[in-house]
Amino acid sequence: MKICSTKTPILLSRGQRKLITIAEALIVDPKVLTLDEPTVGLSASSRRQIAELLDKVCEMGKTVLLVSNNIDFVCEIADTVTVLKQGEIQLQGAVSELFPADNWERLEEVDI
């Protein structure tokens, strides 16, 4: 992942700006990193970079709390998931348990 340092931030891509924002948050060495919709408007390559960065953050022993409507991205990177509907917990558990092929009826009930 290479970000050209000669560009002003306004000239960077949206994905590059999001990576910088995450890096800025990591400077203070938080135990928990909370991200709200980190993939909105990003290209597939930028989403991949965000996923790689979050994987490294987890390898550092940090917790990532991700709020997202991008179910594909969540399933790709998350270990556990909590699905909320109008502020109430509808589903909670391991991604592999909540999103198997035979759980589609339950997922439809919670509008997924």
Side-chain angles (χ1 to χ4, degrees):
M1 165 178 18
K2 183 178 179 183
I3 298 175
C4 181
S5 62
T6 60
K7 291 183 179 181
T8 62
I10 196 71
L11 298 177
L12 295 173
S13 72
R14 192 173 194 178
Q16 289 172 324
R17 290 192 312 266
K18 286 196 182 208
L19 286 168
I20 289 170
T21 301
I22 294 169
E24 288 172 339
L26 291 171
I27 288 172
V28 296
D29 196 28
K31 292 180 182 176
V32 178
L33 179 64
T34 303
L35 301 173
D36 185 13
E37 297 293 353
T39 62
V40 169
L42 297 184
S43 66
S45 106
S46 291
R47 283 191 303 274
R48 212 172 16 262
Q49 287 180 318
I50 296 283
E52 290 170 6
L53 177 62
L54 295 180
D55 188 45
K56 289 177 184 175
V57 169
C58 289
E59 287 175 5
M60 294 166 46
K62 300 186 181 306
T63 298
V64 176
L65 176 60
L66 177 67
V67 178
S68 182
N69 289 312
N70 186 336
I71 301 303
D72 293 331
F73 184 73
V74 169
C75 287
E76 176 186 334
I77 68 165
D79 296 323
T80 59
V81 176
T82 300
V83 176
L84 301 173
K85 183 175 180 180
Q86 298 180 349
E88 299 289 327
I89 295 175
Q90 302 295 308
L91 299 169
Q92 191 170 32
V95 170
S96 60
E97 293 172 9
L98 296 181
F99 296 101
D102 61 351
N103 198 25
W104 291 114
E105 284 184 27
R106 179 68 179 120
L107 294 175
E108 281 184 22
E109 289 174 16
V110 294
D111 298 324
I112 294 181

